[in-house]
Amino acid sequence: MSQTVPGALGAFDAQDTPSMDGLRACVHCGICLPQCPTYRVLGEEMDSPRGRVYLMRAAAEDRIGLTPTMARHLDLCLGCRACETACPSGVPFGQLLEATRGQLERHGVVPPQRDSATLRFLLDVFPYPNRLGPMLHGLRLYQWSGMQAMVRGLGLLAPFAKLRAMEALLPPVPASAAPLPTLVPARGARARGRAGVLLGCAQRFFYPDVNADTVRLLVYRPIEHPDQFFIPFRDSSNGDETYEGGRYVHLDSLDTHKFILDFNNSYNPYCAYDSTWICPLPPPGNTLPFAVRAGMLAPKEH
Ligand code: SF4
Ligand code: SF4
């Protein structure tokens, strides 16, 4: 006789269960499909956001168990969340994916033919710039010396399917960029405050121009309120009365330990109206179980 464990949801256990409301929010409209890189490459419904939500919901409703096949479709997801910003129904895909992957991991369900050695190698190298950098020196030499053209022309990697696939995906490795200065003075009369730039573990090697351009622009950007921070959040009015991507509320510091959180002053992120502001998605933990009826920030011109 099966027993219902409190908090469990179908095939999912009670620890960090995917949200049933989030799963039910999918109306199968398919607007997310063109945004999904795995669907565009593989053309398989179960490798689309809609298909993955369908699988997770089937598990939540106990219509399927946590199977290696399900793990395979979720394993192929890049977690890029391009589907989340495209979705008109506000399906919290990132939260659903992370919770389901945790469940699969905890239950020891792994995709068939998972290449654990390659995964381990990638995880041991790519997040560490002091390992990735030296490896790229070798790859740069391989490309620039003409060896790559020769290997491809003669089909030398044909007997090694996996290595050949990885080699085929290798982008042109750019020349090593000069390191960015530790401190770049701000420019302009209104400049104040200090901004930091995260160089990224792979971006600093593959797209060094992006970091250099970011620094170039930041030195001209005045930071109007260096003592103010904001919290992105969602509430039950999202997508109904307010912007569905969540809103922000400022934290005004009284002293170093206290903050005032006034939801009456919450506002829609500017990025919807003004491209000079970034718009981070609120993390799932920042969801309020009630509606906050508030308007938009109306900054005063000085
Ligand atoms: S856009 Fe959203 S609601 Fe539509 S199919 Fe994709 S996940 Fe479901
Ligand atoms: S997170 Fe990215 S790869 Fe995964 S389903 Fe969404 S768009 Fe596709």
Side-chain angles (χ1 to χ4, degrees):
M1 192 177 77
S2 69
Q3 273 188 316
T4 308
V5 180
L9 189 66
F12 296 123
D13 65 29
Q15 189 183 333
D16 193 18
T17 311
S19 148
M20 193 48 146
D21 287 346
L23 292 168
R24 286 194 179 127
C26 178
V27 293
H28 318 297
C29 63
I31 289 175
C32 55
L33 300 188
Q35 309 302 326
C36 175
T38 58
Y39 179 71
R40 284 166 59 179
V41 171
L42 302 171
E44 168 72 42
E45 174 69 15
M46 288 305 151
D47 292 319
S48 76
R50 183 172 62 183
R52 291 178 178 126
V53 171
Y54 183 85
L55 284 174
M56 291 187 271
R57 182 167 171 179
E61 293 175 346
D62 227 359
R63 287 183 281 118
I64 60 168
L66 302 181
T67 62
T69 307
M70 176 190 187
R72 169 81 180 151
H73 292 301
L74 291 176
D75 202 47
L76 286 174
C77 173
L78 305 177
C80 64
R81 296 171 70 181
C83 50
E84 195 166 309
T85 43
C87 176
S89 288
V91 173
F93 193 85
Q95 185 269 337
L96 298 173
L97 176 73
E98 282 164 24
T100 305
R101 279 181 168 167
Q103 296 264 348
L104 290 163
E105 198 70 30
R106 220 167 24 255
H107 290 265
V109 184
V110 292
Q113 302 156 352
R114 174 188 265 182
D115 185 351
S116 303
T118 306
L119 184 63
R120 190 70 265 153
F121 166 74
L122 295 176
L123 291 176
D124 281 346
V125 171
F126 274 73
Y128 301 96
N130 58 345
R131 297 177 193 171
L132 183 58
M135 191 182 86
L136 291 181
H137 282 315
L139 289 174
R140 206 174 282 121
L141 189 65
Y142 167 71
Q143 288 183 331
W144 291 12
S145 64
M147 206 187 303
Q148 181 179 49
M150 189 185 77
V151 166
R152 289 185 176 182
L154 297 176
L156 295 181
L157 294 179
F160 313 100
K162 203 161 287 173
L163 194 58
R164 191 185 55 168
M166 289 169 76
E167 199 279 339
L169 288 171
L170 181 67
V173 182
S176 6
L180 289 168
T182 313
L183 188 66
V184 183
R187 294 182 200 161
R190 294 165 66 208
R192 52 186 223 170
R194 183 177 285 206
V197 176
L198 289 175
L199 302 181
C201 14
Q203 175 156 301
R204 69 182 71 191
F205 297 116
F206 288 105
Y207 305 103
D209 292 354
V210 174
N211 285 341
D213 288 348
T214 305
V215 170
R216 197 166 50 80
L217 292 176
L218 271 178
V219 296
Y220 289 109
R221 183 174 175 84
I223 300 172
E224 304 286 358
H225 304 290
D227 53 346
Q228 282 192 339
F229 300 90
F230 65 86
I231 294 182
F233 73 98
R234 293 167 63 92
D235 67 289
S236 58
S237 72
N238 267 44
D240 184 5
E241 297 159 61
T242 54
Y243 175 61
E244 68 190 21
R247 283 171 298 145
Y248 300 170
V249 62
H250 266 127
L251 276 176
D252 290 327
S253 174
L254 288 182
D255 57 36
T256 50
H257 301 294
K258 275 195 206 148
F259 291 94
I260 292 177
L261 244 174
D262 184 354
F263 285 98
N264 290 312
N265 293 327
S266 58
Y267 57 95
N268 288 322
Y270 264 22
C271 61
Y273 314 101
D274 179 341
S275 60
T276 59
W277 285 72
I278 57 162
C279 177
L281 286 172
N286 288 14
T287 303
L288 303 171
F290 46 82
V292 176
R293 293 190 172 80
M296 288 166 30
L297 184 72
K300 294 186 184 70
E301 291 296 328
H302 295 288

